[in-house]
């Protein structure tokens, strides 16, 4: 995540504090900052990986083909 992305988050999510914003670039895979009007303070959460049989079938999407990319 680059500084521009972080600035966009800071400008669009009024409940995101500077401490939580600073942790975003170093979050491990599956971790997130949860914030909003339902939370008194931003919270760090770890989301468990789904079992293989419950994962969405999205590994076969060819984005170059889907978006009409140049193949040469």
């Amino acid at each position: 995540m680059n500084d521009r992305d972080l600035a966009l988050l800071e400008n669009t999510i009024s409940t995101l504090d500077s401490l939580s914003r600073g942790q975003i670039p170093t979050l491990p895979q599956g971790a997130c900052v949860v914030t909003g009007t339902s939370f008194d303070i931003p919270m760090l959460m770890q989301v468990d990986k789904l079992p293989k049989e419950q994962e969405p079938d999205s590994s076969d999407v060819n984005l170059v083909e889907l978006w009409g990319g140049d193949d040469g």
Side-chain angles (χ1 to χ4, degrees):
M1 180 166 279
N2 62 42
D3 289 338
R4 194 169 140 199
D5 293 336
L6 291 170
L8 180 63
L9 289 175
E10 186 173 18
N11 291 331
T12 56
I13 305 173
S14 62
T15 56
L16 185 64
D17 63 8
S18 61
L19 179 63
S20 299
R21 178 189 172 275
Q23 293 177 332
I24 290 173
T26 61
L27 291 175
Q29 186 175 20
C32 61
V33 176
V34 181
T35 185
T37 57
S38 296
F39 299 91
D40 292 332
I41 59 172
M43 299 174 59
L44 292 176
M45 297 183 76
Q46 179 69 37
V47 179
D48 294 334
K49 186 173 172 87
L50 288 172
K52 192 71 171 165
E53 62 276 1
Q54 292 180 338
E55 289 180 2
D57 184 18
S58 60
S59 61
D60 59 350
V61 176
N62 183 335
L63 296 178
V64 173
E65 182 180 309
L66 182 67
W67 292 339
D70 186 9
D71 52 358

